[in-house]
Amino acid sequence: MVYRTIDANLVLQTLEKLRLRIGERFPQAGLGQVCAELAVLAGDTQARVIGLAKPTIWIRVGVGLVLAAGASLATYGIHAISFRSGEAEILPLVSALESTVNLLLVVGAGVFSLTSLEARLKRHTAMRALHELRSIIHVIDMHQLTKDPVMFGATRTKASPDHKLSPFELVRYLDYCSEMLSLSGKLAALYAQDFNDPDVIEAASDIEQLATNLSQKVWQKITIVQASNPAMGLN
């Protein structure tokens, strides 16, 4: 099972190492700060996923209390029914049975409400965290947006973005963006891994797809740079 699930610790370690690599290669770039924020988010994700996998004790206790109370009242109602013979006792018997059935229905509704409350609370926590991941993915995309390989040798205007990176540095920068996008998708997958909620699974899948699409866009730029500089190596 070790190699069949995503390990949150390994994702966090990979992000920490990536943050150091970005800091060493581009100490003045804001991308390193984004990676540091993503690492913090990864730590939060690890804690949240562990929390989502655990039962909510106060809700489970509430379910137990409702069941115990329902069972006690139903038992009392059954014992309170008079089984004396005679047609005159049939109406009270039917009335008591009807009350008992209604009580069981109310208890069942209470149990369902409490159990669904646990799922709703966990879903809200997961969806809010996934929204944070979606936001930081767009931030990563903004950092690579102006890193356009066609700027090499192009005539600049006053409004042109700064393009001080060499082809090699540009490839490294874009590759770091791609890694961050991929790791963001893995963090989203953690929420769907142990929390079997259809809405959360769908949202996590959407975020993974978003990260994949943006990463493909980044790699298109990398391919252009490498095609223009065939002798360039990677580090």
Side-chain angles (χ1 to χ4, degrees), residues 178-179 181-182 210-220:
S178 178
E179 289 186 48
L181 289 169
S182 178
L210 173 64
T212 299
N213 292 341
L214 293 178
S215 182
Q216 289 175 349
K217 184 173 67 174
V218 171
W219 271 98
Q220 288 176 355

Side-chain angles (χ1 to χ4, degrees), residues 29-117:
L31 189 65
Q33 298 176 8
V34 178
C35 190
E37 189 64 28
L38 185 58
V40 172
L41 195 56
D44 295 340
T45 297
Q46 185 180 31
R48 287 170 181 159
V49 168
I50 292 174
L52 290 174
K54 294 180 179 179
T56 306
I57 300 300
W58 66 271
I59 293 181
R60 299 295 176 91
V61 171
V63 171
L65 291 176
V66 170
L67 287 174
S72 299
L73 291 174
T75 301
Y76 175 79
I78 292 173
H79 282 291
I81 297 175
S82 173
F83 290 100
R84 293 193 303 270
S85 61
E87 295 183 358
E89 302 297 329
I90 293 179
L91 290 179
L93 175 62
V94 172
S95 177
L97 287 174
E98 182 180 2
S99 298
T100 302
V101 171
N102 289 336
L103 175 62
L104 292 176
L105 291 175
V106 171
V107 171
V111 171
F112 176 78
S113 178
L114 284 173
T115 53
S116 62
L117 174 62

Side-chain angles (χ1 to χ4, degrees), residues 130 134 185 188-192 198-213:
L130 289 171
R134 184 183 291 107
L190 285 171
Y191 287 99
D199 292 338
V200 173
I201 292 174
E202 182 179 1
S205 178
D206 290 343
I207 291 177
E208 286 186 273
Q209 188 61 51
L210 173 64
T212 299
N213 292 341

